[in-house]
């Protein structure tokens, strides 16, 4: 099955099962690229090698021969990256400069980014963003302010020391002047560079050239996104978004092949809704129903262990996500989880200030949106062994067909379990 260049992206608030889908689809790809976001991701993959939660590494690392790439758009946190690499190597998944290539143009996430993230969340108190405190927002702010170090600067050590010292002096003004925190010392910074950053060197390359050459040889690329459309910085539920672009449209830039054409966009959609952290969540469920669903779906963050907020499938938000991603096909995941419910709620429209709408509201109006729910009959049987459309009970087929019609995108994959093979391909 050759799909050409393919982006696997989230349609909702993240945690849709992208890692699971990338792990499945990488069978057909020699190149898998993460193009945005950082080590705050939790992409769960369960395969013959075990159960893994990947944070920054692309989910192609389990396939021998696959080249995994971290593009210039990622938040490159060397300390966490090597913790992840060491962990995988210890578990028999080999990560070497042969199967991991990192863009020289990726910016380094500095030790102070994590600290500033925590300081700002603490300052906000009740009004916090719900950050994973991995330093992502301060990192991207600094990148856009041109106050980061590019990984490739590690090859220019004299200039790098000067650059680091300048950035540190500036950042210490913020740390102590704004937050009253302890300043960073240059010794500490050099130790961080020696322990973690210098280890990056064998992995660094011009990913632009690597990927453009791959394209010239007719070898397709799989682009792996973090989070989902509703967390996109420009088009999501601002300010409860992440600080990068989660959309497929950003993949060519964040990977290092700006002119590449993406042939297919696989939009990963969860069969119900979940949302980690703060922000408006129109179809949220509470009480016993929520507890049942959270339990059945094991909805606890892969990175943080936080219980995820759960809700009914949201047609309005999902249709918007499909459109923003320009998904050409959808993967509906965790359908098996809905076996726990007698009646399955679906949010089909919103009302905002008494007006009914099927359009996803502007962020400032989203807090006031209320869900209009319809209920679908449940099937109440274990569907995790289904491998073909006809194996699904009629109620489950009706549910999938309804969603497909409402979101305007063919559902090509239906996932009924976390394992690689627990999939129905239509
Ligand atoms: P990602 O961040 O989009 O990669 O998704 P996560 O890995 O954070 O969350 C998805 C969770 O659901 C993981 O624990 C997966 O192992 C699990 N999962 C994925 N697909 C299915 C499925 O079809 N059924 C069930 N029961 N679990 C699934
Ligand atoms: Mg996740």
């Amino acid at each position: 099955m050759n799909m050409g260049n393919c982006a696997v992206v989230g349609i909702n608030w993240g945690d849709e099962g992208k890692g699971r889908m990338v792990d499945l689809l990488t069978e057909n790809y020699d190149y898998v690229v993460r193009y945005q976001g950082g080590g705050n991701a939790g992409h769960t993959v369960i395969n013959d090698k075990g159960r893994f939660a990947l944070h920054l590494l692309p989910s192609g690392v389990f396939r021998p021969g696959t080249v995994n790439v971290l593009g210039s758009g990622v938040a490159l946190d060397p300390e966490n990256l090597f913790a992840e690499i060491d962990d995988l190597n210890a578990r028999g998944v080999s990560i070497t400069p042969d199967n991991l290539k990192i863009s020289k143009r990726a910016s380094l996430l500095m030790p102070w980014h994590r600290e500033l993230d925590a300081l700002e969340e603490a300052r906000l108190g009740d009004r916090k963003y719900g950050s994973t405190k991995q330093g992502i927002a301060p990192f991207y702010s600094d990148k856009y302010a041109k106050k980061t170090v590019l990984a490739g600067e590690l090859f220019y050590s004299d200039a790098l020391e000067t650059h680091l010292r300048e950035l540190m002096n500036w950042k210490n003004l913020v740390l102590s002047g704004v937050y009253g925190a302890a300043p960073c010392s240059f010794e500490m910074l050099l130790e961080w560079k020696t322990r973690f950053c210098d280890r990056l060197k064998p992995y660094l390359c011009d990913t632009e050239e690597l990927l453009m050459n791959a394209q010239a040889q007719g070898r397709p690329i799989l682009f792996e996104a973090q989070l989902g459309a509703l967390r996109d910085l420009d088009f999501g539920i601002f300010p409860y978004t992440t600080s990068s672009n989660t959309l497929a449209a950003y993949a060519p830039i964040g990977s290092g092949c700006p002119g590449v054409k993406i042939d297919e966009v696989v939009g990963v959609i969860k069969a119900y809704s979940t949302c980690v952290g703060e922000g408006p969540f129109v179809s949220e469920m509470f009480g016993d129903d929520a507890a049942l669903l959270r339990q059945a779906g094991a909805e606890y963050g892969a990175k943080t262990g936080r219980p995820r907020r759960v809700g009914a499938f949201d047609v309005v938000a999902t249709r918007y996500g499909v459109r923003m991603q320009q998904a050409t096909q959808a993967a509906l995941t965790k359908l098996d989880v809905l076996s726990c419910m007698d009646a399955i709620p679906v949010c089909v429209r919103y009302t905002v200030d008494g007006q009914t709408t099927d359009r996803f509201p502007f962020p400032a109006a989203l807090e006031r949106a209320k869900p209009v729910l319809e209920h679908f009959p449940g099937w109440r049987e274990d569907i995790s062994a289904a491998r073909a459309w006809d194996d699904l009970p009629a109620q489950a087929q009706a549910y999938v067909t309804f969603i497909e019609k409402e979101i305007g995108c063919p559902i090509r994959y239906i996932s009924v379990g976390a394992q690689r093979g627990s999939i129905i391909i239509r």
Side-chain angles (χ1 to χ4, degrees):
M1 175 176 53
N2 187 343
M3 298 202 292
N5 294 324
C6 174
V8 180
V9 298
I11 295 296
N12 307 123
W13 297 264
D15 302 322
E16 299 92 344
K18 293 174 295 294
R20 182 251 182 286
M21 287 308 299
V22 174
D23 177 61
L24 178 78
L25 296 172
T26 43
E27 183 168 15
N28 311 301
Y29 288 88
D30 299 332
Y31 293 87
V32 180
V33 192
R34 269 284 305 272
Y35 60 88
Q36 47 78 226
N40 54 336
H43 293 176
T44 312
V45 173
I46 303 175
N47 56 29
D48 48 340
K49 300 207 166 57
R51 180 197 171 91
F52 303 88
L54 296 176
H55 303 302
L56 187 55
L57 289 170
S59 304
V61 292
F62 304 101
R63 303 276 189 185
T66 296
V67 179
N68 296 275
V69 179
L70 294 176
S72 57
V74 303
L76 183 60
D77 178 341
E79 191 171 340
N80 278 345
L81 176 66
F82 284 111
E84 193 176 350
I85 289 177
D86 292 344
D87 179 50
L88 283 176
N89 279 333
R91 295 181 62 192
V93 180
S94 159
I95 312 286
T96 68
D98 288 330
N99 70 348
L100 177 65
K101 309 280 182 193
I102 303 174
S103 170
K104 279 187 196 164
R105 287 180 176 270
S107 282
L108 298 178
L109 188 141
M110 312 293 290
W112 51 66
H113 288 136
R114 255 177 274 133
E115 195 182 344
L116 285 166
D117 203 348
L119 287 166
E120 179 58 11
E121 286 286 273
R123 189 190 72 82
L124 285 167
D126 298 349
R127 289 160 28 251
K128 67 182 192 292
Y129 293 114
S131 164
T132 54
K133 299 185 190 147
Q134 297 296 307
I136 304 300
F139 166 86
Y140 279 108
S141 318
D142 282 357
K143 177 174 169 174
Y144 279 80
K146 302 165 291 180
K147 303 274 196 200
T148 48
V149 172
L150 302 185
E153 290 182 54
L154 289 165
F155 294 114
Y156 303 85
S157 47
D158 291 348
L160 175 62
E161 287 214 4
T162 313
H163 193 189
L164 283 174
R165 199 181 282 278
E166 271 173 15
L167 288 180
M168 184 196 76
N169 290 340
W170 167 73
K171 202 46 108 177
N172 279 343
L173 295 174
V174 180
L175 280 169
S176 48
V178 175
Y179 293 103
C184 178
S185 76
F186 199 60
E187 291 68 47
M188 218 177 77
L189 201 55
L190 282 184
E191 198 208 315
W192 166 81
K193 177 193 159 292
T194 316
R195 272 185 70 191
F196 305 111
C197 303
D198 287 338
R199 254 183 100 181
L200 285 171
K201 284 183 184 168
Y203 297 88
L204 297 177
C205 72
D206 292 315
T207 55
E208 301 81 18
E209 203 172 307
L210 179 81
L211 295 173
M212 291 306 204
N213 285 343
Q215 290 284 281
Q217 291 162 13
R219 299 167 89 178
I221 302 170
L222 188 146
F223 301 96
E224 175 179 5
Q226 183 209 357
L227 287 161
L230 304 170
R231 300 288 193 192
D232 182 86
L233 178 62
D234 287 86
F235 296 95
I237 55 172
F238 191 85
Y240 298 101
T241 56
T242 193
S243 300
S244 64
N245 290 103
T246 59
L247 298 185
Y250 185 70
I253 292 181
S255 312
C257 36
V260 85
K261 178 169 170 288
I262 298 179
D263 301 295
E264 297 285 345
V265 176
V266 176
V268 187
I269 301 173
K270 200 179 271 191
Y272 50 94
S273 299
T274 61
C275 167
V276 180
E278 310 300 317
F281 184 26
V282 179
S283 69
E284 184 162 12
M285 287 160 52
F286 301 94
D288 292 347
D289 285 352
L292 180 75
L293 192 54
R294 182 177 302 116
Q295 184 77 27
E299 296 297 350
Y300 301 89
K303 177 75 191 178
T304 56
R306 290 188 287 188
R308 293 174 182 152
R309 297 159 74 192
V310 299
F313 184 89
D314 185 332
V315 166
V316 182
T318 306
R319 192 193 291 121
Y320 176 77
V322 164
R323 189 174 299 162
M324 292 300 113
Q325 294 286 19
Q326 282 294 300
T328 58
Q329 44 184 280
L332 189 70
T333 60
K334 304 193 91 163
L335 188 66
D336 55 302
V337 173
L338 293 179
S339 297
C340 71
M341 304 187 92
D342 289 322
I344 304 170
V346 174
C347 171
V348 290
R349 280 179 297 283
Y350 295 169
T351 53
V352 184
D353 301 332
Q355 300 269 339
T356 303
T357 181
D358 55 10
R359 291 184 59 189
F360 195 65
F362 182 75
L366 195 56
E367 303 269 9
R368 300 205 303 276
K370 303 267 182 302
V372 178
L373 296 177
E374 273 178 25
H375 286 83
F376 282 73
W379 43 90
R380 276 295 194 176
E381 66 180 90
D382 183 3
I383 59 167
S384 59
R387 295 293 175 270
W389 176 249
D390 291 338
D391 296 340
L392 290 175
Q395 299 91 325
Q397 289 181 348
Y399 185 73
V400 174
T401 309
F402 174 81
I403 288 175
E404 184 167 59
K405 185 173 108 292
E406 291 294 319
I407 64 174
C409 177
I411 296 176
R412 176 122 195 265
Y413 303 91
I414 300 167
S415 175
V416 291
Q419 287 74 22
R420 191 182 270 174
S422 303
I423 195 96
I424 296 169
I425 303 179
R426 292 163 88 201

